[in-house]
């Protein structure tokens, strides 16, 4: 595990940043596959609910990586905790969908229901803090 520890703070920052950006792109692609709408198409068309929900996911994943970087000495450990946090955030998304039996969250967001988009954003952001608080590696 020693070879994954980066001593130079500038190289370390650049490495953590680069890996986090790459992971964010991958995680957003995963989110895109689990929703019934095409995030970027809807955002391009002015769907504010999708923009809020997607922004919440971006913030949530970035916040989880912030915590995983803060509590990790190596890229591998940071990436592992980031991936675990992402899976928990994804599970939270499915729980939110399940807990709303009177309507389908994805359909409402696709219809530009901004109240549901806002709730989705706040759930992603809020739970990212809870997930991040659980990341302790030392």
């Amino acid at each position: 595990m020693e070879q994954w520890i980066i001593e130079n703070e500038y190289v370390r920052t650049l490495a953590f940043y680069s890996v986090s950006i790459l992971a964010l792109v991958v995680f957003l692609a995963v989110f895109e596959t689990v929703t019934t709408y095409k995030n970027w198409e809807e955002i391009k068309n002015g769907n504010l609910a999708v923009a809020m929900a997607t922004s919440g996911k971006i913030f949530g994943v970035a916040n989880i990586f912030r915590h995983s970087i803060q509590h990790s000495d190596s890229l591998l450990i940071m990436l592992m905790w980031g991936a675990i946090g992402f899976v928990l955030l994804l599970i939270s998304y499915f729980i939110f969908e399940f807990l709303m039996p009177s309507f389908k969250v994805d359909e409402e967001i696709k219809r530009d229901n901004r109240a549901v988009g806002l709730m989705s954003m706040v759930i992603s952001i809020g739970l990212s803090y809870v997930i991040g608080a659980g990341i302790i590696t030392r």
Side-chain angles (χ1 to χ4, degrees):
M1 206 59 81
E2 291 283 327
Q3 71 272 15
W4 288 86
I5 297 175
I6 301 168
E7 297 297 328
N8 183 298
E9 64 188 66
Y10 300 110
V11 174
R12 182 178 190 271
T13 299
L14 182 61
F16 282 143
Y17 173 80
S18 300
V19 170
S20 295
I21 293 296
L22 181 61
L24 179 62
V25 169
V26 169
F27 295 153
L28 285 173
V30 171
F31 272 125
E32 179 90 18
T33 63
V34 300
T35 57
T36 59
Y37 49 85
K38 300 294 179 201
N39 293 320
W40 306 113
E41 248 178 64
E42 292 292 330
I43 291 170
K44 180 182 172 191
N45 293 330
N47 187 324
L48 188 59
V50 171
M52 287 189 290
T54 303
S55 296
K57 292 169 188 166
I58 291 169
F59 186 100
V61 170
N63 190 39
I64 289 168
F65 270 97
R66 169 229 180 276
H67 286 281
S68 70
I69 290 168
Q70 183 179 11
H71 296 291
S72 300
D73 289 330
S74 74
L75 275 173
L76 188 60
I77 298 298
M78 180 274 290
L79 192 55
M80 179 196 71
W81 278 110
I84 290 169
F86 169 74
V87 168
L88 292 173
L89 198 61
L90 190 61
I91 290 169
S92 303
Y93 169 80
F94 289 120
I95 290 171
F96 176 46
E97 181 79 50
F98 177 75
L99 290 177
M100 299 295 148
S102 59
F103 62 88
K104 298 234 178 258
V105 172
D106 266 5
E107 289 176 13
E108 292 299 316
I109 291 174
K110 185 177 181 178
R111 289 182 341 129
D112 201 16
N113 183 331
R114 294 171 186 175
V116 176
L118 179 64
M119 282 184 59
S120 177
M121 181 179 76
V122 170
I123 286 171
S124 293
I125 291 171
L127 289 178
S128 76
Y129 280 97
V130 173
I131 293 165
I135 298 174
I136 300 172
T137 60
R138 296 180 196 174

